[in-house]
Amino acid sequence: MSEKPSEAQVAALVEAMDQLLDDMGPNGQSVCLAAKAQARIAFDPFLDPECVEFIMPLEQAKRVILECE
């Protein structure tokens, strides 16, 4: 990422990480699909384009969030 992230981007990433950590709890449990999708969307501005093929596609993450609302 060449430019500084916006406050909104950082806030979204912090919120997503908070949800992941809450889902995992103190014993390292798995996270729900909605939390994973939220994190994928929030992480998109920070993502190395070479790593995209190894993670949930952005459009899939957006569909999951829409289904959960």
Side-chain angles (χ1 to χ4, degrees):
M1 177 173 209
S2 59
E3 45 187 79
K4 185 176 178 180
S6 70
E7 286 185 30
Q9 289 172 322
V10 172
L13 188 57
V14 168
E15 181 179 343
M17 294 305 104
D18 181 59
Q19 185 62 55
L20 291 178
L21 292 170
D22 182 64
D23 276 14
M24 289 187 294
N27 299 318
Q29 303 299 314
S30 296
V31 299
C32 74
L33 186 59
K36 183 176 180 178
Q38 178 188 17
R40 170 58 179 96
I41 293 166
F43 192 61
D44 193 64
F46 305 91
L47 187 61
D48 179 346
E50 293 183 15
C51 298
V52 172
E53 67 183 276
F54 302 108
I55 63 172
M56 177 188 289
L58 183 59
E59 290 307 313
Q60 179 184 352
K62 289 178 180 179
R63 282 192 307 273
V64 169
I65 295 300
L66 285 174
E67 291 172 7
C68 292
E69 290 181 341

